């Protein structure tokens, strides 16, 4: 009885809200209409290009016939849950991206620290070098790694000339270390961008006071600077980790580690065509990214977030 | 000691830091003050200075130098060797030849014979379409988020400034959902727009946040402008730098978007990302790939130069 009453009441309230938003009479209602109008284009796009395709992905993962997408079956999810290979892919992805994130954020702290505190001789060059790779797609990053470490790579050939070993033996672009450097190449600039914003807001008076009171540079950094930049480090780690999970082009070209994006690609390739399994992996992957981002951002300050 | 902590607490509360962090910062120095002086006395007696004071700065500067080299050397080597005749050996040799550029762009006598200009033009047009759509979609929501406080504002904000669905997944879902139009230019355009909209929203939002929106809007309204007119002719023009910067960033990123394009593109004309892929992954020579990648470098450099003319630090969404 009371449940039905409250349900009717909330339906009525939503209906009133909708009608006053459409035909406002007070200034408050007009403001609500303005907000709705301003948000409408974005949500129209997000629904057409984002939510509907994602809903379709759910349908595909339950499809019995994967060519016409008809019938219902739990086959794809069963395959996903029972095949150990998929758990290995998940583990591969998590440790690899986690390690790349840790390295990128640590290096990002060093670069942001130096840019903010030191009088570097070529500061503009460093800033340009750090911001340029943000625009590069994964396939270009993969190529740049082969420029450094491939069979004809600069570093490979330099070491080969010095040590006399064969360049083909030294080439590591298509080894897992090459892929790791590719990840760091893509992720480091993103981490540095977030951390530069954090460093700009650090209270330098406290650091100067610590130094004047006799703390060494490391003590000042560890006890004064680090607590102040901790929210920035957390935000950088979250954004870097989720960017790392989305990397596909680099791994498609270098092919040295079976991460989730490559697995999804393989599932829909000719020869092993299983779009229902690909959709199921994709859904787990998207849900993980969204949950991770929202849970992670609960713990950091919103202002530190930058793409 | 107390003279040290009190100004920090004042500054900390005005800074971006949350209260917890300030408390942690204050308490660590609080518990640390005594030991620091003791440590200092001991250190003065035998070594003069701490190791980190002597070597910290050179080490960090060294790390920055290595990082900068790691990020720039491959780009420069790729660009320079695209003009070289031979890429074997430590450094490319035999300058200057435009053969690789000619091959890549489809005017060569061998290699990829396909003319790349239609694909490039097509791709740039799609990126431009995505950019225009992004202005129409991104500017309104950025204004709503910067100006008004409303129900679920924070959630919508996170949703609008983070690319939640990766391009690869979106591409797969897209062609299954819209089998007829998914592979068309319209599909590419909508996908690019959604994938790159966070950059637009963030850039424009940081521009709006630096303005006193309430006062601007109320002044215009009190002088007799209707609300649409106040927004379109007073507020949006004030944020034009942010809008143009966001447009350039989204355009450049969309021009070479690969993960989504790889799944959605139908083949003819070939979008720019597929042109890059063809020249990097499939039987193209090392130097030919260098020329293909350099085409994109030129586009990015042009974008960065324009962004710097607009007063931005390269590909940053932050307001300067």
């Amino acid at each position: 009885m009371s449940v039905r009453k409250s349900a009717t009441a909330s339906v009525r309230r939503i209906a009133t809200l909708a009608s006053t938003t459409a035909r406002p009479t007070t200034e408050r209602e007009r403001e609500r209409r303005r907000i709705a109008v301003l948000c409408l284009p974005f949500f129209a796009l997000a629904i057409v290009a984002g939510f509907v395709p994602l809903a379709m992905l759910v349908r595909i993962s339950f499809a019995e016939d994967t060519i016409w997408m008809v019938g219902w079956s739990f086959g794809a999810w069963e395959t996903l849950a029972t095949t150990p290979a998929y758990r290995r892919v998940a583990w591969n992805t998590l440790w690899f991206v986690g390690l790349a994130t840790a390295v990128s954020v640590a290096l990002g702290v060093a670069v942001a620290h130096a840019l903010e505190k030191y009088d570097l001789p070529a500061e503009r060059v460093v800033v340009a070098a750090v911001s340029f790779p943000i625009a590069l797609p994964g396939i270009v990053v993969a190529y740049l790694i082969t420029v450094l470490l491939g069979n004809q790579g600069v570093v490979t050939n330099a070491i080969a000339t010095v040590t006399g070993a064969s360049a083909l033996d030294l080439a590591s672009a298509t080894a897992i270390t090459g892929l790791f450097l590719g990840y760091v190449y893509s992720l480091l600039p993103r981490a540095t961008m977030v951390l530069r914003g954090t460093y700009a807001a650090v209270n330098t008076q406290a650091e100067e006071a610590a130094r004047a009171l006799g703390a060494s540079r490391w003590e000042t950094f560890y006890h004064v600077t680090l607590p102040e930049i901790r929210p920035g480090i957390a935000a950088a780690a979250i954004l870097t980790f989720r960017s790392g999970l989305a990397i596909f082009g680099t791994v498609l070209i270098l092919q040295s580690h079976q991460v989730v994006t490559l697995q999804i690609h393989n599932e829909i390739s000719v020869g092993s065509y299983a779009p229902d399994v690909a959709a199921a992996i994709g859904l787990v992957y998207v849900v993980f990214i969204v949950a991770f981002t929202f849970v992670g951002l609960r713990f950091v300050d919103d202002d530190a977030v930058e793409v | 000691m107390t003279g040290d902590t009190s100004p920090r607490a004042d500054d900390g509360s005005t800074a971006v830091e949350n209260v917890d962090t300030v408390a942690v910062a204050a308490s660590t120095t609080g518990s640390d003050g005594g030991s620091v002086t003791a440590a200092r006395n001991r250190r003065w007696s035998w070594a003069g200075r701490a190791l980190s004071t002597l070597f910290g700065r050179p080490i960090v500067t060294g790390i920055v130098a290595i990082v900068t080299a790691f990020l720039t050397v491959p780009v420069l080597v790729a660009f320079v060797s695209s003009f070289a005749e031979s890429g074997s050996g430590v450094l490319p040799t035999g300058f200057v030849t435009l053969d690789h550029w000619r091959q890549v762009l489809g005017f060569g006598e061998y290699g990829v014979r396909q003319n790349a200009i239609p694909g490039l033009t097509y791709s740039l047009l799609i990126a431009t379409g995505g950019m225009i759509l992004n202005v129409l979609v991104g500017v309104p929501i950025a204004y709503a988020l910067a100006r008004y406080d409303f129900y679920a504002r924070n959630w919508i904000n996170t949703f609008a400034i983070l690319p939640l669905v990766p391009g690869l997944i979106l591409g797969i879902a897209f062609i299954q959902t819209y089998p007829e139009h998914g592979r068309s230019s319209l599909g590419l355009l909508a996908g690019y727009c959604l994938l790159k909209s966070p950059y637009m929203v963030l850039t424009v939002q940081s521009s709006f946040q630096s303005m006193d929106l309430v006062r601007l809007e109320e002044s215009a309204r009190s002088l007799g402008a209707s609300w649409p007119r106040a927004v379109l002719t007073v507020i949006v023009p004030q944020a034009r730098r942010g809008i143009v910067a966001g447009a350039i960033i989204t355009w450049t990123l969309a021009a070479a978007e690969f993960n989504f394009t790889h799944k959605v593109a139908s083949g003819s004309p070939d979008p720019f990302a597929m042109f890059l892929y063809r020249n990097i992954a499939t039987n193209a020579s090392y130097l030919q790939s260098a020329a293909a990648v350099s085409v994109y470098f030129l586009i990015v450099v042009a974008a960065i130069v324009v962004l710097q003319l607009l007063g931005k630090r390269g590909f940053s969404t932050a307001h300067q």
Side-chain angles (χ1 to χ4, degrees), chain A residues 27 31 34-35 38-39 41-43 45-54 56-57 60 69 107 110-111 113-114 117-118 120 124-127 129-137 139-140 143-148 152-154 157-158 161 181 184-185 188-190 193 196 198 201 203 205-206 209 211-219 223-224 227-231 239 242 246-249 252-253 261 264-265 268 273 275 282 285-286 289-290 293-294 297-298 301-303 305-307, chain B residues 4 7-8 11-12 15-18 21 24-25 28-29 32 36-37 39-40 43 50 52-53 56-57 60-61 63-64 67-68 70-75 77-78 87-91 133 136-137 140-141 143-144 148-150 154-166 168-170 172-174 176-178 190-191 193-194 197-199 201-202 217 221 227 252-253 256 258-259 262-263 273 276-277 280-281 286-287 289-290 293 296-297 300-301 304 308 313-318:
Chain A
E27 185 58 26
E31 187 177 298
R34 282 169 202 154
I35 295 168
L38 289 168
C39 292
F42 181 83
F43 278 97
L45 178 78
I47 287 167
V48 171
F51 292 132
V52 173
L54 276 182
M56 187 65 187
L57 217 55
I60 295 168
M69 301 303 162
L107 291 175
V111 174
H113 189 90
K117 310 261 176 234
Y118 301 175
L120 292 177
R124 286 179 68 95
V125 176
V126 178
V127 172
V130 169
S131 73
F132 186 79
I134 292 180
L136 300 182
I139 43 171
V140 173
Y143 177 71
L144 293 178
I145 294 302
T146 57
V147 165
L148 277 182
Q152 295 188 1
V154 184
N157 275 316
T161 317
L181 286 179
V184 173
Y185 195 101
L188 198 159
R190 287 167 220 270
M193 278 296 163
R196 282 193 73 196
T198 317
N203 171 14
Q205 285 177 343
R211 292 280 291 140
L213 287 168
S216 72
R217 283 193 199 279
W218 171 253
E219 283 163 343
H223 293 299
V224 181
E228 287 206 50
I229 62 167
R230 202 174 286 148
L239 293 175
R242 40 159 300 123
I247 289 180
F248 168 60
L252 178 68
I253 295 201
T261 42
I264 294 170
H265 169 75
I268 56 162
Y273 186 71
Y285 171 59
V286 168
I289 288 189
V290 172
T293 309
F294 276 98
L297 290 180
R298 300 246 97 174
D301 192 26
D302 265 2
D303 288 353
V305 176
E306 244 182 84
V307 180
Chain B
D4 174 27
R8 172 215 309 288
D11 288 340
V16 203
E17 311 293 329
N18 51 32
T21 325
V24 169
T28 39
T29 31
D32 220 66
V36 166
T37 38
R40 183 186 56 176
R43 211 173 293 120
S52 64
T53 309
R57 190 162 288 209
V60 174
T61 315
I63 292 174
V64 173
V67 165
T68 312
F70 170 59
L71 294 176
T72 46
V73 164
V75 174
V77 170
S88 54
V90 180
L91 294 172
L133 194 58
L136 299 176
V137 165
I141 194 162
Y143 183 68
Y148 299 106
D149 197 11
F150 50 92
N154 283 337
W155 287 84
I156 295 178
N157 191 34
T158 315
F159 183 71
I161 62 174
L162 287 173
L164 286 176
V165 186
L168 175 72
I169 305 293
L170 195 63
I172 293 172
F174 222 74
Q176 298 284 358
T177 317
Y178 308 109
C193 182
L194 185 68
S197 63
Y199 294 89
V201 175
L202 264 178
E217 196 185 299
R221 295 296 308 279
W227 179 78
T252 318
L253 293 176
F258 174 74
N259 301 357
H262 179 64
K263 291 285 163 267
L276 285 175
Y277 181 64
I280 290 171
Y286 173 75
L287 294 174
S289 311
V293 169
Y296 182 62
F297 290 162
V300 177
V301 168
I304 287 182
Q308 284 190 335
R313 281 183 306 206
F315 268 73
S316 165
T317 50

Side-chain angles (χ1 to χ4, degrees), chain A residues 54 57 80 260 264 277-288, chain B residues 166 169:
Chain A
L54 276 182
L57 217 55
L80 199 63
V260 63
I264 294 170
V277 180
I281 304 175
L283 283 171
V284 173
Y285 171 59
V286 168
V287 167
F288 177 78
Chain B
I169 305 293

Side-chain angles (χ1 to χ4, degrees), chain B residues 99-116 275 278-279 282-289:
Chain B
D99 279 356
H100 309 298
W101 284 75
R102 255 186 243 124
Q103 270 172 41
V104 157
L105 295 175
F107 306 118
E109 281 135 31
Y110 56 94
V112 186
R113 292 290 294 274
Q114 197 184 342
N115 189 346
F275 156 85
R278 212 178 51 230
N279 277 298
T282 52
N283 58 29
S285 79
Y286 173 75
L287 294 174
Q288 201 178 311
S289 311

